[in-house]
Amino acid sequence: MNIKTICAVAVIAAIPALSHAQAKDPAATPGIDKRQEIQQKRIDQGVQSGELNKREAARLERHQAGIEKMENRAKADGTVTKKERAKIHHAQNHESRRIHRQKHDHQRAK
């Protein structure tokens, strides 16, 4: 075998490994992003139905923005660690309960 053949075989063998490495981004947070989207829709739905008044909605929006900032800080170094993900999930759980309580507290939009 000549050197060109060996190099070609090595490159071809390395292509699947390189594509797999690129597919798994350590800073990717699709689950967190999807949950933020769902919680935002819950807030919007509460405003439309009158279950949330303007003050409640504004407060919930600020909390959602805080979670978004927390996510952006976690992504800043290029990797979101398990501890950072756990902290974000905890904040999302807390916010989800807050959205539920505010939507069901019998305060209505005027």
Side-chain angles (χ1 to χ4, degrees), residues 31-107:
I32 292 170
D33 295 338
K34 183 66 175 173
R35 186 155 181 206
Q36 285 289 96
E37 180 183 325
I38 290 168
Q39 289 186 173
Q40 184 61 50
K41 286 180 183 178
R42 289 174 58 205
I43 294 169
D44 294 341
Q45 185 274 328
V47 170
Q48 287 178 346
S49 69
E51 292 175 315
L52 293 173
N53 62 37
K54 288 181 182 181
R55 288 182 80 185
E56 290 172 331
R59 188 178 305 117
L60 293 170
E61 295 278 349
R62 279 195 310 273
H63 289 282
Q64 287 294 107
I67 294 170
E68 186 73 28
K69 284 182 184 178
M70 186 185 306
E71 180 185 4
N72 289 338
R73 282 192 305 268
K75 287 180 174 182
D77 64 355
T79 302
V80 181
T81 65
K82 285 184 179 183
K83 187 174 181 179
E84 290 170 331
R85 285 180 196 277
K87 188 174 179 181
I88 294 167
H89 284 297
H90 177 77
Q92 286 179 321
N93 289 341
H94 186 72
E95 189 62 20
S96 179
R97 287 189 299 272
R98 184 178 284 135
I99 293 168
H100 176 80
R101 281 194 307 269
Q102 292 299 315
K103 285 178 73 173
H104 296 90
D105 66 357
H106 301 295
Q107 292 179 3

